[in-house]
Amino acid sequence: RCAARLMQPRQGASDAPGLRRRACVRLFSVKQKEEPEEYKWKVSAGIIVERVPPVMPPFEPWEKEYYEWMEERQDKRRRPFPKEFHDPYGEFDYAAEQQAIDEYEPAPVVTEEDKSNNTKSTNRRLCEHLYLIAKKNGVWQFPSGPHPDQQPSLRQSANIHLLGTFSEDMDHFILGNCPIGHIEEGEERTFFYHSLYVSGDIKVVDNKETEDFMWATKEELLELFPENTAKLCDDILISLKTKNQWIYGGEPQECARAVSERAYEAAKKKE
């Protein structure tokens, strides 16, 4: 209908077939799709395997004092639990239980691997996060490699490079389908995925390129890695290193303790 209107000459106007023809061409012409620009980066995929700390780090002095005060405060308000509900038949040996509690000694946080500086074992630095790294061609790095075009996703490429470096005896779990960071070296861009170590022995499979491996803390990574990778680690990795110089801004736990004790005494007088 639009084409017919354009082709009909208007009343009182001169015949201009050339203009009408160009208008029809513009109206019905299909715009050709522009070819996408070629991606200039060489894409690689890597993986950061983390062993979470199995042991809680030791309390700071202010934390220890706070929990002791909380326990003391709760003991004042706690009603004793009737023994009839806990041991209705009188068969429970309270003396033996208390003796077992008094004789209990927790396992030492500093292990034999820490003393011998065995960096290939996960049984070290139990209070800190450890990360699996490999030494290839004299350079420490996370397990990584090029991403082929036929590979469906970066996540699968990262897992393939991990299992191509270490044995499949290691059980791990990749968190999500999105990388947690990337680095750029020349024309190469490497995307890293985050994985949690579950269990299994770590054995090197690729002996041609992989010279060594270790479980390192964040502080050790910052010393071993190049500048660009160290900056990435400093931004995305966790460190639970004890802060020796904690800024209190006063002593808030003491203030809270005094206020709570005064409130408790006032409520007790009202009763």
Side-chain angles (χ1 to χ4, degrees):
R1 186 179 299 176
C2 295
R5 288 181 180 178
L6 288 172
M7 295 300 295
Q8 292 178 0
R10 290 180 298 174
Q11 295 180 358
S14 60
D15 188 12
L19 294 175
R20 289 195 296 272
R21 191 180 301 112
R22 286 194 295 270
C24 289
V25 171
R26 287 196 302 268
L27 181 62
F28 294 101
S29 63
V30 179
K31 187 178 179 180
Q32 296 181 356
K33 294 183 178 180
E34 297 180 358
E35 295 183 0
E37 297 182 0
E38 186 178 356
Y39 193 68
K40 66 176 182 178
W41 297 96
K42 295 179 181 178
V43 180
S44 298
I47 190 167
I48 302 175
V49 182
E50 175 188 1
R51 190 227 63 186
V52 295
V55 179
M56 289 183 60
F59 288 138
E60 299 281 352
W62 64 272
E63 289 178 304
K64 185 177 180 181
E65 185 177 357
Y66 171 77
Y67 285 114
E68 289 177 353
W69 164 69
M70 281 292 296
E71 185 176 358
E72 179 183 351
R73 179 174 178 268
Q74 291 173 358
D75 287 341
K76 290 182 179 180
R77 293 163 171 78
R78 185 183 294 117
R79 293 184 178 181
F81 192 78
K83 292 185 179 181
E84 292 77 10
F85 291 94
H86 185 264
D87 185 21
Y89 301 104
E91 298 176 352
F92 190 78
D93 192 351
Y94 292 96
E97 181 189 24
Q98 187 61 39
Q99 182 180 0
I101 295 174
D102 296 338
E103 295 177 354
Y104 172 75
E105 293 184 4
V109 177
V110 180
T111 63
E112 295 296 331
E113 286 77 4
D114 288 321
K115 297 177 181 178
S116 61
N117 196 23
N118 183 9
T119 58
K120 293 179 174 57
S121 173
T122 56
N123 193 32
R124 65 182 292 264
R125 301 294 185 94
L126 300 181
C127 299
E128 300 183 42
H129 294 255
L130 295 181
Y131 303 94
L132 180 62
I133 59 176
K135 189 176 184 180
K136 294 184 179 182
N137 301 324
V139 179
W140 287 101
Q141 56 184 291
F142 292 117
S144 60
H147 173 63
D149 297 335
Q150 65 271 15
Q151 195 65 34
S153 66
L154 282 170
R155 187 177 186 268
Q156 293 182 0
S157 294
N159 191 37
I160 288 174
H161 290 304
L162 174 65
L163 299 180
T165 305
F166 301 100
S167 63
E168 298 183 0
D169 297 337
M170 179 183 64
D171 188 14
H172 69 104
F173 179 76
I174 300 178
L175 302 176
N177 297 316
C178 180
I180 62 172
H182 75 280
I183 59 173
E184 298 176 1
E185 294 182 358
E187 297 182 354
E188 183 179 3
R189 180 175 287 179
T190 305
F191 295 88
F192 292 99
Y193 285 81
H194 186 200
S195 177
L196 296 181
Y197 169 79
V198 179
S199 62
D201 297 332
I202 308 297
K203 298 178 182 178
V204 177
V205 177
D206 185 11
N207 295 323
K208 295 181 180 180
E209 295 184 1
T210 306
E211 303 171 9
D212 197 2
F213 77 94
M214 68 177 294
W215 288 96
T217 63
K218 179 180 178 179
E219 289 73 26
E220 293 171 342
L221 293 179
L222 298 180
E223 297 178 359
L224 296 173
F225 277 176
E227 183 178 358
N228 57 346
T229 312
K231 185 179 184 303
L232 175 70
C233 296
D234 195 23
D235 293 337
I236 66 175
L237 299 186
I238 299 176
S239 175
L240 294 180
K241 189 176 181 180
T242 305
K243 302 178 180 62
N244 296 324
Q245 297 183 0
W246 183 274
I247 301 176
Y248 288 97
E251 293 185 351
Q253 74 279 11
E254 291 293 337
C255 299
R257 180 174 184 173
V259 172
S260 178
E261 292 298 334
R262 287 198 300 269
Y264 174 72
E265 295 296 336
K268 194 174 180 180
K269 289 180 180 180
K270 290 182 180 180
E271 293 178 357

